[in-house]
Amino acid sequence: KAGVTQTPRYLIKTRGQQVTLSCSPISGHRSVSWYQQTPGQGLQFLFEYFSETQRNKGNFPGRFSGRQFSNSRSEMNVSTLELGDSALYLCASESTGNSYEQYFGPGTRLTVT
Amino acid sequence: AQSVTQLDSQVPVFEEAPVELRCNYSSSVSVYLFWYVQYPNQGLQLLLKYLSGSTLVKGINGFEAEFNKSQTSFHLRKPSVHISDTAEYFCAVSRAGTASKLTFGTGTRLQVTL
């Protein structure tokens, strides 16, 4: 079974621009979560989508948004990029049922200049 | 809300020596506990999890952890480490009943040398 895939793996953007990151979960997984990893703040939860609905949300400004499609693929968007948005963005998928295991993708490294 | 404290930012250890990585958590509700490993330029891999039941849980790659409710701890141990165990290790907690919305500790860098 293929793992969680994220595209692109690396991205360089300029302050003020917007960016869209993509995540394809493991086949059959309907829950997708997004996390931001920075040296200063560590790993922080952004949001979770399940069956195209946002189920949980972390404490991030409205510039961070996401969506999930009917095939469970998810995208996250960051508008009006700031230097502090430079981070590794990780996507994780979880199967339905009671496994309670999240499988992480390799991440997208976003650099804002 | 939950919080996680990883007491050691770095742990140096010689190959074949035992190691313990410490994790303490705080929560007003029942929780699930997890340990993840992150190798350079990679995502996170689940090592083991505690949901309920036996307080000693065994994971992949020879790792195990013990849940101690009275001390609110979930320390990770391995009796004999290998060079390939060099990585960043993260303790995480979620509200019981879900594995999403994880709260992570700041991580412990395990450096294994010959």
Side-chain angles (χ1 to χ4, degrees), chain A:
Chain A
K1 201 180 249 190
V4 177
T5 58
Q6 294 186 244
T7 56
R9 291 292 313 276
Y10 302 91
L11 204 49
I12 300 175
K13 289 287 189 178
T14 302
R15 192 170 46 184
Q17 289 184 316
Q18 75 165 14
V19 67
T20 299
L21 311 181
S22 180
C23 170
S24 292
I26 292 172
S27 177
H29 288 193
R30 291 164 60 189
S31 166
V32 174
S33 297
W34 289 88
Y35 293 84
Q36 182 196 63
Q37 185 176 24
T38 61
Q41 299 299 317
L43 280 152
Q44 294 185 285
F45 172 77
L46 280 155
F47 28 66
E48 180 205 6
Y49 286 86
F50 181 84
S51 292
E52 302 180 65
T53 301
Q54 188 179 86
R55 188 159 70 170
N56 282 298
K57 189 177 188 302
N59 297 321
F60 278 81
R63 301 185 297 106
F64 292 82
S65 63
R67 59 177 175 169
Q68 186 180 34
F69 302 94
S70 58
N71 61 357
S72 294
R73 189 178 70 86
S74 177
E75 289 181 347
M76 68 163 282
N77 184 275
V78 188
S79 62
T80 319
L81 284 166
E82 301 176 0
L83 296 178
D85 297 333
S86 294
L88 181 67
Y89 290 89
L90 294 164
C91 165
S93 73
E94 182 182 349
S95 66
T96 53
N98 299 324
S99 69
Y100 302 109
E101 294 181 0
Q102 294 217 324
Y103 295 85
F104 283 79
T108 293
R109 172 76 62 186
L110 172 65
T111 301
V112 182
T113 62

Side-chain angles (χ1 to χ4, degrees), chain B residues 8 26 30 50 68-69 76 102-104 107:
Chain B
D8 305 299
S26 174
S30 296
Y50 173 78
N68 188 316
K69 188 173 182 179
L76 181 70
L102 292 168
T103 298
F104 285 89

Side-chain angles (χ1 to χ4, degrees), chain B residues 5-67:
Chain B
T5 302
Q6 292 185 244
L7 298 165
D8 305 299
S9 59
Q10 293 186 67
V11 172
V13 63
F14 290 111
E15 192 176 34
E16 297 183 4
V19 70
E20 177 180 85
L21 306 183
R22 297 180 292 169
C23 171
N24 287 87
Y25 70 94
S26 174
S27 177
S28 57
V29 299
S30 296
V31 297
Y32 290 166
L33 292 154
F34 306 84
W35 275 100
Y36 284 88
V37 61
Q38 186 176 36
Y39 299 101
N41 299 316
Q42 294 187 29
L44 302 173
Q45 181 182 14
L46 180 66
L47 282 175
L48 47 79
K49 64 186 179 186
Y50 173 78
L51 305 181
S52 65
S54 174
T55 57
L56 182 64
V57 292
K58 293 188 184 297
I60 62 171
N61 301 341
F63 285 94
E64 63 180 34
E66 185 155 19
F67 171 62

Side-chain angles (χ1 to χ4, degrees), chain B residues 11-19 78-86 110-114:
Chain B
V11 172
V13 63
F14 290 111
E15 192 176 34
E16 297 183 4
V19 70
K78 186 170 183 178
S80 176
V81 296
H82 190 265
I83 288 283
S84 60
D85 292 323
T86 295
L110 176 64
Q111 182 68 51
V112 182
T113 55
L114 294 172

